[in-house]
């Protein structure tokens, strides 16, 4: 998600100097005529929404639609460009009970800390009018729900998710004698990440040395880890990544792509990685739904119909966010109604159609905007069908408060050394563990 938010903050975001979280919304002061001050509108309630980056709700026109349906409501959004700056402020404001927007966004890597430590300061949205638990993916609903020991309230409603596929270059596959039809490509590695590695060796055997199969070993590791129910923490909240075979297995498998000459040795979301999409520097990349637009942008017009997308070996998720309603807000009932409406299946389908954010509400998958969605750039790929299938198979994952810290160090300290510097998998692992221990001890 760190990488995802880099993408989401590249354009259309207000200058950082003006981006301060709004205080609890105040109704407009009456003017001398008995109406409201300019901008408020007589009798209107102003609800503030605090987000990070180009979150998409405003850009998709959802606020305007809600205000048109609810003339007594006025919505104002504030955005801080990067979640790294937004989230610490959110924690501070929750701690003091002031300076909060009526509705606040929370990124998936922060939701475990929010549910574990801040649930008592948030409205139980599972009981809000119009919210139907059955309409949402079980694993996404679970992520926004506090532990039983903390009351078990569902304080976060999911806005979107990042189910993953494998994006691939059809022309490079054809040149290496591999199938290009997306169903046949998906069958190469169906059900097993090790088969993805085998496909990489088959590709290299025909394509030759120097022809990378994947963009980076770190990208592979993240995708494999994302398909595991237990990763860095266990159900008791204990850090277990060192002893969890799923994490070490993902690390070693990804390292095999590096040692086997299958990786382009690029670091994701850097200029050289961006150029790799246009230059054909690699044949495949693990891609969540939101990355398709990024690939189209970086590969440019010349990449149209060369890129396609197939099912990943196992369902995996990378990304997603939530909306929460602080109890300290002045209009909590109206704010809860707004949060429920913004995350309802119909609105999530619109957000996907206009912004590419894949719905976390499974009830949206049957709606035409999702079920019939195709991506012209990717050869008309039925992306609604592909990513819905992936989303429904993602396991209920245990998320811990420092997931992002652990994942970043495994990738940037550990795997990057293996991929770019030729260190052994054990050396890379040891370096990552040392960095993680230091970070968690602070």
């Amino acid at each position: 998600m760190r990488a995802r938010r880099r993408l989401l903050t590249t354009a259309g975001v207000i200058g950082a100097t003006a981006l301060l979280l709004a205080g609890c919304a105040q109704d407009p002061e009456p003017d001398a005529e008995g109406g409201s001050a300019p901008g408020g509108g007589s009798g209107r309630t102003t609800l503030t929404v605090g987000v990070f980056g180009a979150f998409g709700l405003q850009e998709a026109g959802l606020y305007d639609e809600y205000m048109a349906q609810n003339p007594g409501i006025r919505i104002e959004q504030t955005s801080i460009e990067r979640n790294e700056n937004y989230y610490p402020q959110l924690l501070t404001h929750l701690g003091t009970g002031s300076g909060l927007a009526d509705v606040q966004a929370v990124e998936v890597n922060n939701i475990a800390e929010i549910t574990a430590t801040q649930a008592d300061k948030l409205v139980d949205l599972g009981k809000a009018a119009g919210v139907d638990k059955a309409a949402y993916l079980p694993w996404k609903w679970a992520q926004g729900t506090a532990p039983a020991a903390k009351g078990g309230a569902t304080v976060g409603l999911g806005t979107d998710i990042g189910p993953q596929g494998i994006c691939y270059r059809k022309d490079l596959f054809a040149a290496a004698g591999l199938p290009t039809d997306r169903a046949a490509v998906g069958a190469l590695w169906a059900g097993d990440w090790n088969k993805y590695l085998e496909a990489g060796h088959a590709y290299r055997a025909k394509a030759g040395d120097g022809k990378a199969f994947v963009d980076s070993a770190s990208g592979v590791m993240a995708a494999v880890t994302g398909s595991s129910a237990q990763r860095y923490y266990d159900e008791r909240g204990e850090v277990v990544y060192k002893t969890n075979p799923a994490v070490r297995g993902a690390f070693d498998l990804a390292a095999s792509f590096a040692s086997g000459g299958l990786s382009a040795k690029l670091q994701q979301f850097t200029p050289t990685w961006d150029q790799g999409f246009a230059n054909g520097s690699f044949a495949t990349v693990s891609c969540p739904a939101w990355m398709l637009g990024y690939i189209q942008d970086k590969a440019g017009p010349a990449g149209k119909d060369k890129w396609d997308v197939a099912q990943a070996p196992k369902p995996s998720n990378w990304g997603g966010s939530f909306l929460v309603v602080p109890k300290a807000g002045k209009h909590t009932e109206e704010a809860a109604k707004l949060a429920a409406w913004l995350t309802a299946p119909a609105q999530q389908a619109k957000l996907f159609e206009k912004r590419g954010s894949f719905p976390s509400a499974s009830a949206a998958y049957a709606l035409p905007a999702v079920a019939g969605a195709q991506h012209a750039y990717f050869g008309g790929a039925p992306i609604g069908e592909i990513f819905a299938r992936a989303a429904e198979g993602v396991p209920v994952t245990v998320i811990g408060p420092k997931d992002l810290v652990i994942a970043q160090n495994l990738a940037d300290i550990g795997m990057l050394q293996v991929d770019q510097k030729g260190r052994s998998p054990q050396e890379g692992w040891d370096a990552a563990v040392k960095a993680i221990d230091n970070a968690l001890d602070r």
Side-chain angles (χ1 to χ4, degrees):
M1 281 305 296
R2 168 179 57 87
R4 180 196 179 199
R5 291 307 173 195
R6 286 180 187 167
L7 163 62
L8 293 180
T9 59
T10 55
V13 185
I14 304 174
T17 56
L19 301 179
L20 299 176
L21 282 174
C24 299
Q26 302 293 320
D27 287 327
E29 295 293 333
D31 61 20
E33 300 298 323
S36 295
S42 179
R44 299 178 78 185
T45 296
T46 298
L47 297 178
T48 53
V49 181
V51 303
F52 48 92
F55 202 75
L57 301 174
Q58 180 170 277
E59 293 82 353
L62 295 183
Y63 298 156
D64 290 338
E65 184 176 346
Y66 189 82
M67 288 187 289
Q69 295 178 14
N70 299 271
I73 297 295
R74 180 170 181 253
I75 301 171
E76 295 180 350
Q77 176 180 288
T78 59
S79 177
I80 290 179
E81 185 174 358
R82 297 175 65 86
N83 187 51
E84 295 96 309
N85 298 324
Y86 167 88
Y87 182 63
Q89 290 191 36
L90 175 59
L91 286 180
T92 298
H93 293 313
L94 284 170
T96 62
S98 63
L100 290 157
D102 292 300
V103 178
Q104 297 274 179
V106 177
E107 204 264 352
V108 65
N109 284 307
N110 304 126
I111 194 63
E113 185 173 18
I114 290 293
T115 58
T117 67
Q118 307 294 326
D120 61 328
K121 301 179 181 70
L122 302 170
V123 173
D124 185 352
L125 296 177
K127 298 178 180 178
V131 174
D132 179 9
K133 178 180 178 180
Y136 296 83
L137 290 162
W139 59 268
K140 185 70 172 183
W141 184 271
Q143 288 178 346
T145 301
K150 300 293 183 178
T154 299
V155 297
L157 295 179
T159 56
D160 65 313
I161 54 175
Q164 298 203 72
I166 300 293
C167 292
Y168 64 99
R169 281 278 296 252
K170 289 183 287 189
D171 56 333
L172 299 182
F173 266 47
L178 295 180
T180 60
D181 174 76
R182 67 183 66 95
V185 169
L188 290 175
W189 47 66
D192 190 345
W193 285 103
N194 286 292
K195 290 182 179 179
Y196 186 45
L197 177 63
E198 293 172 6
H201 284 301
Y203 174 82
R204 185 170 182 263
K206 293 288 185 69
D209 293 343
K211 299 294 185 180
F213 183 65
V214 299
D215 62 318
S216 69
S218 294
V220 174
M221 179 178 64
V224 178
T225 306
S227 62
S228 299
Q230 188 179 90
R231 301 180 298 183
Y232 313 126
Y233 287 78
D234 65 14
E235 292 82 356
R236 298 171 300 173
E238 300 293 328
V239 177
V240 297
Y241 79 94
K242 294 180 190 177
T243 57
N244 183 1
V247 175
R248 185 57 193 264
F251 189 93
D252 289 342
L253 177 63
S256 295
F257 281 83
S259 60
L262 305 180
S263 170
K265 305 182 185 301
L266 301 173
Q267 186 172 13
Q268 293 186 328
F269 298 94
T270 61
T272 52
W273 187 69
D274 292 347
Q275 294 165 8
F277 286 108
N279 298 339
S281 300
F282 46 87
T284 71
V285 59
S286 299
C287 57
W290 51 261
M291 193 185 285
L292 299 187
Y294 190 91
I295 294 174
Q296 179 175 348
D297 179 53
K298 300 306 177 183
K304 187 177 187 298
D305 293 326
K306 291 181 179 178
W307 281 97
D308 209 325
V309 56
Q311 295 286 162
K314 289 186 176 181
S316 178
N317 186 73
W318 176 11
S321 296
F322 299 80
L323 296 180
V324 302
V325 174
K327 290 180 179 178
K330 187 176 180 180
H331 306 293
T332 54
E333 183 176 351
E334 290 294 347
K337 290 179 182 178
L338 174 61
W341 186 87
L342 289 171
T343 58
Q347 278 63 254
Q348 290 202 25
K350 294 171 187 173
L351 191 63
F352 171 63
E353 184 177 28
K354 296 180 180 180
R355 301 288 297 178
S357 300
F358 203 79
S360 65
S362 53
Y365 299 165
L367 300 178
V370 180
Q374 297 182 346
H375 204 301
Y377 189 87
F378 289 78
I383 57 173
E385 175 186 338
I386 290 171
F387 290 113
R389 188 187 309 171
E392 291 169 340
V394 173
V396 176
T397 305
V398 178
I399 297 179
K402 301 301 180 182
D403 264 27
L404 183 57
V405 171
I406 297 172
Q408 283 182 341
N409 280 286
L410 285 172
D412 296 344
I413 300 297
M415 190 54 64
L416 204 61
Q417 291 192 12
V418 176
D419 205 12
Q420 295 188 351
K421 298 182 180 180
R423 302 284 178 83
S424 71
Q426 189 61 49
E427 289 174 325
W429 176 265
D430 290 343
V433 167
K434 182 178 179 180
I436 292 167
D437 285 348
N438 289 337
L440 297 184
D441 286 343
R442 291 173 189 164

